Amino acid sequence: MQANRETILEIRNLKKGFNGLDVLKGVSFEVKTKDIITLIGSSGCGKSTTLRCINLLEKPDAGEILFHGQNILELKNTNEYRAKVGMVFQNFNLFNNLDVLENCILGQVKVLKRSRQQAEKNALENLRKVDMESHLHHRVNQLSGG
């Protein structure tokens, strides 16, 4: 028997349009602890728009986005929320002038206010998990897109 899992994120009737075209037409779903969610669909169906709304990179036209029960659309400080929710972009958006390790450390130090030592420890742990340890000091243009 599985224990009750906390709802982390709940999307309710999310709507977003651009230039008269409705892209999101009432999207609703929830994410609970330990869930793995995949957004699948054809090009232009609203996958990225949904993610951009969740990260407040786009303002929805209607609906609610609840993070741990709080409607994030009512937040005054979006940076505090963004420090807890991440997004991996289709185009990597890495800094070309930094190596892999520095790209992984920068956000932790600047946004999460972690010490450089803690940020480096976290970065190394996560890079090991995805078998990138041998690429720590490679520049972005030296990496494969795969």
Side-chain angles (χ1 to χ4, degrees):
M1 183 169 177
Q2 194 172 22
N4 288 340
R5 296 179 302 138
E6 175 189 6
T7 298
I8 297 168
L9 182 70
E10 187 174 357
I11 309 302
R12 294 182 184 163
N13 201 28
L14 200 62
K15 297 179 182 178
K16 179 68 181 170
F18 298 98
N19 301 320
L21 175 66
D22 292 328
V23 177
L24 303 180
K25 304 172 188 176
V27 173
S28 297
F29 64 91
E30 64 180 40
V31 180
K32 293 182 179 270
T33 307
K34 297 187 179 183
D35 279 353
I36 298 173
I37 303 296
T38 305
L39 300 180
I40 300 172
S42 59
S43 180
C45 75
K47 301 178 301 289
S48 293
T49 300
T50 300
L51 293 174
R52 291 178 61 78
C53 287
I54 290 170
N55 280 282
L56 299 177
L57 298 173
E58 294 285 348
K59 187 174 184 324
D61 298 331
E64 294 178 299
I65 302 171
L66 304 171
F67 181 69
H68 293 284
Q70 180 180 17
N71 188 347
I72 64 163
L73 300 175
E74 298 170 353
L75 292 177
K76 301 221 184 316
N77 183 354
T78 57
N79 289 333
E80 189 176 305
Y81 165 72
R82 284 187 184 134
K84 298 174 187 168
V85 176
M87 178 175 174
V88 178
F89 292 90
Q90 290 173 344
N91 299 328
F92 296 112
N93 293 332
L94 298 173
F95 295 102
N96 291 324
N97 60 322
L98 302 178
D99 64 21
V100 169
L101 183 59
E102 290 301 318
N103 266 285
C104 293
I105 290 172
L106 184 64
Q108 295 182 69
V109 171
K110 296 286 186 186
V111 177
L112 299 178
K113 306 296 183 205
R114 288 188 178 142
S115 70
R116 178 170 174 82
Q117 182 180 6
Q118 182 61 49
E120 186 169 332
K121 180 182 175 203
N122 288 341
L124 289 170
E125 277 178 32
N126 288 311
L127 287 165
R128 277 188 203 105
K129 287 179 185 178
V130 294
D131 201 24
M132 289 284 294
E133 197 172 14
S134 63
H135 302 289
L136 294 179
H137 301 293
H138 285 88
R139 298 284 181 175
V140 174
N141 63 357
Q142 294 174 307
L143 300 174
S144 164

